[in-house]
Amino acid sequence: MILELLLFILYALTVGIVLMTYLFYPFIAKLTFKENEKNNPTKDCGALYVIIPAYNEESVIDEKIKNSLKYLGPKDEIVVVSDASDDSTNSICTIIAEEDEKVRFYVNHERGGKNTCLNLAVEKINANKNDILIFTDCNTFFDENSLLEIKKSLQAGSSLVAGSMVYQSMESESAVSEGLYWRYEEWIRRNESENGRLIVCNGGLFGMWANCYETLPPFVPNDFEGPLRLCGEGEHVMINPEAKGIEPAINSPKEEYSRKKRMANRQMNCILYLWKDLNIGTKNQVLFHKLFRWFGMHLFLLSTVFILFIRLLTMSLMIDLLLIAHFTIIGVIILALINQYLNVEKKLLPKILHAVKVHVYGAKGALKAIFGTKTSIWEKAKTNR
């Protein structure tokens, strides 16, 4: 009897975490967390600096700089840092910088990863506290309102403001499936944002006051470190959906899953790096937004083991129904795995398989971080350039 009770408690705990993470947390993020208050609005704003790290971006860097130049104000500048590029990126940027005084170009001569470029850029800028730093990627393009909307939200009292990403060229099934997954993720982020508690954004477009920036270690993602740290300090961090970053979708499943693994590794390392300094509300956000989602598949399988052992120890209609539900879900996952080779069903099963693989690769990356592996340098995806 005691063993049955213990197993049922463990089952209820694991299932409860899964249900809370996937069904209830998006609403809880909006309704229950204490709001991070904005700072006083200000009209005092200095220069705006668009910071572009680049590694072998010859195919897009010219278009990226020209796109950014269109939306600069009189005091604003672009700062490009090449991470030891060995294609024609450096020569392209050198020519542009010589022709346009609004463009600065620096080279990190020994490849160190994205954060070494960002740290170098901020060091070279030597910004005042009322200057604004805009972080972006070479394959993310602005529309006419992107920079203006971020600036407006910062002046309204936020410490960090993220843009909303628009993905184009979803030509493969994996890209379509990722689009659905991204819409779910952005729903969560927007609900967090309503209370000024956004803990992660997209590195393609976000901005912060210069005095909010801290030197980045190489193994954390800047689009997670900034919002997580500031939210954990009680600062107002939000998404402005009117600030749009336009970016091609990754159309290779291999590249997408590799990206998920790398992102989870760097985000987990960031959690370990910042954990002790986060307030309790932000820690709870991290658990349900990140940790329990990475290990959602593992928690589900663990709960299945618990209910199976309970069924071996006791007979009950409720237990039988729960067991049937678990094995029905497992059966659908197995069908999705088989379908990737047979390609019989092309709508639902590929999306289920994508969700499963996202969790598997995310968990791999997070586990590697827990056991000490840090990712600082990586090869960019080629299908979204």
Side-chain angles (χ1 to χ4, degrees), residues 31-277:
L31 300 174
T32 64
F33 284 112
K34 180 181 177 182
E35 183 175 358
N36 283 352
E37 294 184 4
K38 291 184 177 182
N39 299 315
N40 292 327
T42 180
K43 293 183 179 179
D44 183 21
C45 182
L48 182 148
Y49 296 92
V50 177
I51 300 175
I52 308 173
Y55 171 68
N56 286 358
E57 297 283 7
E58 62 182 4
S59 63
V60 294
I61 191 64
D62 180 72
E63 184 182 1
K64 170 62 181 179
I65 294 173
K66 289 177 180 176
N67 168 258
S68 301
L69 280 169
K70 288 195 296 185
Y71 305 117
L72 296 186
K75 298 182 292 184
D76 304 340
E77 295 183 25
I78 294 170
V79 183
V80 184
V81 181
S82 168
D83 190 28
S85 297
D86 55 17
D87 64 354
S88 62
T89 297
N90 292 359
S91 59
I92 293 170
C93 293
T94 298
I95 293 170
I96 296 174
E98 288 174 350
E99 294 176 348
D100 197 316
E101 62 181 9
K102 282 186 168 292
V103 180
R104 300 196 211 177
F105 176 59
Y106 303 101
V107 177
N108 184 30
H109 293 286
E110 183 175 345
R111 192 177 180 204
K114 182 177 184 178
N115 290 357
T116 61
C117 296
L118 301 180
N119 291 334
L120 177 60
V122 175
E123 178 188 343
K124 294 292 187 180
I125 290 170
N126 192 24
N128 297 315
K129 67 178 183 178
N130 65 336
D131 290 337
I132 292 173
L133 306 179
I134 299 289
F135 298 95
T136 186
D137 294 328
C138 285
N139 63 326
T140 303
F141 297 93
F142 306 145
D143 69 14
E144 61 184 1
N145 297 315
S146 300
L147 302 183
L148 178 63
E149 287 293 333
I150 287 181
K151 183 176 179 179
K152 282 167 56 178
S153 294
L154 289 170
Q155 289 181 297
S158 295
S159 296
L160 183 149
V161 179
S164 177
M165 300 303 296
V166 177
Y167 290 100
Q168 297 181 328
S169 304
M170 291 189 175
E171 298 166 357
S172 69
E173 182 57 46
S174 66
V176 173
S177 298
E178 177 59 23
L180 290 174
Y181 187 85
W182 169 248
R183 284 195 285 274
Y184 173 75
E185 169 69 16
E186 191 163 70
W187 175 44
I188 296 175
R189 294 185 188 187
R190 290 194 182 194
N191 283 348
E192 290 177 334
S193 172
E194 289 202 17
N195 285 334
R197 301 192 62 97
L198 182 70
I199 62 169
V200 60
C201 58
N202 188 292
L205 176 59
F206 73 97
M208 65 168 71
W209 292 107
N211 65 339
C212 291
Y213 183 87
E214 290 189 0
T215 301
L216 295 161
F219 53 83
V220 305
N222 72 311
D223 53 3
F224 189 49
E225 186 276 343
L228 180 62
R229 170 174 52 82
L230 291 170
C231 181
E233 294 172 354
E235 296 293 323
H236 193 276
V237 184
M238 64 169 286
I239 291 175
N240 183 335
E242 300 304 315
K244 292 181 172 62
I246 303 163
E247 185 173 306
I250 294 176
N251 280 287
S252 162
K254 182 179 179 181
E255 288 182 339
E256 185 58 56
Y257 298 138
S258 175
R259 174 175 169 268
K260 293 294 184 188
K261 182 178 176 181
R262 168 176 56 81
M263 286 172 57
N265 177 265
R266 287 169 63 78
Q267 289 178 352
M268 186 70 235
N269 272 305
C270 187
I271 291 168
L272 296 172
Y273 174 68
L274 293 175
W275 184 259
K276 67 180 185 302
D277 298 320

